[in-house]
Amino acid sequence: MPEYVYKAVTSKGQIVRNKVEEVNKNTLIRKLKNNELLPISVTQVRINGNKNRKKANKRNMMDIDDIMKQADSANILQGNTTLKPTLKEKINMTLARDEKVTSRDLIIFTQNFYVLKKANFNNIHALSTIIDSTENMTLRGVLQDILAGVEAGEYMYTTMEYYSNIFPYLYVNMIKVGELSGSLTKSLEQAVKYLETADDTNGKIRKMIIPNAAMIIVILGILIFGVAYIIPQIEEAFAKAGSSAKLPGITVAFVKFCNVLSTYWYIPVVIILGIVGIIIAYISTPKGKYNFHYFKYKMPIFGKLVFALDYSRFLKAMLLNLENGMRIQEALEVSKSVVKNYVMLSIIETSINNIFIGASWIEPFEKSGLTSPMQTEMLKIGMQTDLPEMMSKLVEYMEIDIENLMRKIMAVLPQIIYSIVGIFLIFLVVVIIVPCIEMYMGGWLFDSVNIDWDNL
């Protein structure tokens, strides 16, 4: 068997080094974890068949055998040594344990897995290869668990479901559809596109919202500072000079509003919390969740896009199943797992029931009022000719439709955000800046000595 030298950390934080024989690297890693040892590195030294073969020392490299002679591993494992991890090792281990798996990490993993599957690697070989090159310790541990499950004869998605904080719901179900339909490579390709599109869209939205949200916060901060400090200073200056000049009505009204709000702050807080609590409680009920999901499909600006994305993912999953020889009923049953929206799920469930009674499975989509006549007509034509081929064309059509919707949203969203920022800026100018300008111009001084400023 091959010999490995491992470096791991115990539950007490001690660094452990040892040389052992094991069948393969992944088996050794699992055994270390079972013995409450967190692997830092595992390096293959040699295979036993080559024990008597002399090896030349590599230049600028330390001989691992020399290192092992200095490490009293038996004492380390028993905790009877004074060897302690360095500060750097402690920091690295702390960071490694809490290292977050980013969307970029997940995209890279999926891309690599897709490339290896396309090269006809089996799942075990592909996962083993990716694990060796994964730098994120958290993701590496998760992939090792997935590999252990696959080696035990389980599907990949069954282990992924336990890591919902890493793998999105839709991502897991895309993998599920691919594994159940025998088209994992195509599912991975779709998953890569889904992750990249979501990441790109989120990035664009963040670039638009974050700077403008920061600007709104700054404006609110200036308003609060103005009401708390600047306005009182101006009023005090008017009073000391004996001027009859008054602040603008909107400024006075806003100051009174802020004073009332600071005195009775708990009333709006209770009202807001009550409204939020009622909404959450309603959404938690089956009827409330259904209505909320229906609102997602009908809400202004984003509604059509949300439905188009869900419907497109469902059609792609169904297309994979049909191309692999599934009947329509089975394809519907498996494909519904890529959808999370209750409205879409109810439509699909109704379609499945229609097949049982001999009715059209397309009818529920048509009667829902959510799909366009073009989409339902293409499905009907597909039923009369070649459904997978027609569904493939429908998916292409929907991809174009989604791109158009995205362009419209990206054109409208900045205008809405800029309008909100503009309203806040106008309010700031009227409430705070105008009184400051009056103060600077000095007209109130003439008024304080009974000089008619308008007739000068």
Side-chain angles (χ1 to χ4, degrees):
M1 286 193 296
E3 285 186 353
Y4 295 91
V5 172
Y6 69 80
K7 183 180 179 183
V9 64
T10 67
S11 57
K12 296 180 181 179
Q14 295 173 319
I15 300 297
V16 181
R17 300 175 181 86
N18 202 357
K19 182 165 64 174
V20 295
E21 292 182 0
E22 194 49 73
V23 177
N24 56 51
K25 185 176 179 179
N26 293 321
T27 304
L28 175 57
I29 289 172
R30 284 199 298 276
K31 286 187 177 181
L32 291 174
K33 287 186 175 182
N34 291 335
N35 291 323
E36 297 184 351
L37 293 172
L38 181 62
I40 300 174
S41 64
V42 178
T43 307
Q44 184 174 328
V45 182
R46 60 171 170 268
I47 299 175
N48 281 353
N50 297 329
K51 268 187 177 180
N52 298 325
R53 182 179 175 183
K54 292 184 179 180
K55 294 195 298 181
N57 289 332
K58 292 183 180 179
R59 189 174 295 176
N60 297 326
M61 295 291 288
M62 295 181 69
D63 188 354
I64 194 66
D65 291 330
D66 292 337
I67 296 173
M68 294 311 301
K69 289 176 183 177
Q70 305 300 323
D72 191 353
S73 299
N75 286 337
I76 292 173
L77 288 171
Q78 294 171 8
N80 296 327
T81 182
T82 58
L83 180 64
K84 293 182 179 180
T86 64
L87 178 61
K88 183 179 179 181
E89 287 174 332
K90 286 182 178 178
I91 294 172
N92 289 338
M93 287 309 304
T94 302
L95 293 175
R97 286 173 180 171
D98 300 327
E99 194 172 5
K100 185 180 178 182
V101 178
T102 64
S103 59
R104 199 69 217 155
D105 292 327
L106 192 54
I107 290 172
I108 292 171
F109 157 70
T110 312
Q111 287 174 333
N112 292 340
F113 197 31
Y114 166 67
V115 170
L116 294 177
K117 288 295 295 179
K118 203 172 181 182
N120 294 323
F121 279 53
N122 60 40
N123 289 355
I124 294 176
H125 191 185
L127 285 169
S128 301
T129 304
I130 293 172
I131 288 170
D132 291 337
S133 61
T134 302
E135 296 180 359
N136 188 300
M137 294 295 290
T138 303
L139 181 57
R140 180 182 291 190
V142 172
L143 295 180
Q144 286 166 352
D145 286 348
I146 294 173
L147 176 61
V150 173
E151 289 177 333
E154 297 178 355
Y155 285 116
M156 285 173 53
Y157 76 86
T158 56
T159 307
M160 287 181 174
E161 288 173 341
Y162 290 102
Y163 296 98
S164 57
N165 59 325
I166 294 175
F167 301 104
Y169 175 87
L170 293 174
Y171 178 91
V172 174
N173 284 288
M174 284 180 178
I175 303 300
K176 179 180 179 180
V177 169
E179 289 190 292
L180 294 180
S181 65
S183 302
L184 183 56
T185 305
K186 288 186 178 180
S187 286
L188 287 167
E189 184 180 8
Q190 291 180 4
V192 170
K193 290 181 181 178
Y194 161 69
L195 291 171
E196 288 180 339
T197 303
D199 192 53
D200 182 57
T201 304
N202 292 336
K204 289 178 180 178
I205 293 174
R206 280 195 296 268
K207 285 181 181 178
M208 281 190 291
I209 292 178
I210 292 176
N212 291 287
M215 189 180 295
I216 290 174
I217 291 171
V218 170
I219 293 171
L220 287 173
I222 295 172
L223 282 171
I224 294 170
F225 176 75
V227 170
Y229 180 77
I230 296 176
I231 299 300
Q233 292 292 325
I234 294 175
E235 288 179 331
E236 186 179 350
F238 286 172
K240 284 182 178 179
S243 174
S244 60
K246 294 182 180 180
L247 294 170
I250 190 171
T251 303
V252 175
F254 184 68
V255 170
K256 288 181 179 178
F257 171 76
C258 290
N259 291 335
V260 172
L261 191 63
S262 63
T263 304
Y264 302 100
W265 59 269
Y266 51 88
I267 295 177
V269 169
V270 170
I271 292 173
I272 292 171
L273 290 176
I275 293 172
V276 171
I278 291 171
I279 292 173
I280 292 174
Y282 177 69
I283 291 175
S284 299
T285 63
K287 184 179 179 181
K289 186 168 286 188
Y290 182 90
N291 290 334
F292 176 64
H293 286 185
Y294 187 75
F295 169 75
K296 284 184 178 180
Y297 285 163
K298 287 293 186 178
M299 65 179 171
I301 302 175
F302 295 100
K304 288 184 178 179
L305 178 63
V306 174
F307 173 76
L309 289 170
D310 281 352
Y311 192 42
S312 175
R313 276 193 293 266
F314 164 71
L315 289 176
K316 287 177 182 176
M318 193 170 175
L319 177 60
L320 282 178
N321 294 325
L322 291 173
E323 287 177 340
N324 283 276
M326 281 192 185
R327 295 180 301 171
I328 294 177
Q329 179 187 336
E330 295 170 340
L332 285 167
E333 192 69 46
V334 174
S335 302
K336 71 180 182 182
S337 61
V338 301
V339 180
K340 202 174 182 179
N341 190 289
Y342 276 26
V343 176
M344 181 67 76
L345 287 172
S346 65
I347 294 171
I348 297 170
E349 203 64 43
T350 306
S351 296
I352 296 171
N353 292 336
N354 275 12
I355 293 174
F356 281 117
I357 62 175
S360 170
W361 67 272
I362 303 173
E363 184 182 354
F365 292 96
E366 187 176 14
K367 289 186 175 180
S368 67
L370 296 169
T371 57
S372 67
M374 171 72 78
Q375 293 166 357
T376 52
E377 194 62 30
M378 288 180 75
L379 290 175
K380 288 178 181 178
I381 294 172
M383 288 296 294
Q384 297 171 5
T385 55
D386 186 342
L387 183 57
E389 183 181 353
M390 186 56 69
M391 194 170 284
S392 177
K393 292 178 181 178
L394 177 56
V395 168
E396 291 177 6
Y397 166 78
M398 290 207 64
E399 288 291 331
I400 297 171
D401 192 33
I402 289 170
E403 287 181 11
N404 292 333
L405 288 170
M406 285 292 296
R407 272 196 227 99
K408 289 179 182 178
I409 289 173
M410 289 304 173
V412 172
L413 198 59
Q415 297 177 13
I416 296 173
I417 294 172
Y418 296 152
S419 299
I420 295 171
V421 173
I423 292 169
F424 274 90
L425 278 172
I426 292 170
F427 192 73
L428 172 66
V429 169
V430 173
V431 173
I432 304 296
I433 306 300
V434 169
C436 290
I437 292 174
E438 286 188 1
M439 182 77 175
Y440 179 75
M441 295 297 291
W444 58 280
L445 290 173
F446 291 92
D447 182 70
S448 64
V449 293
N450 297 320
I451 295 176
D452 190 356
W453 171 257
D454 295 329
N455 293 326
L456 285 178

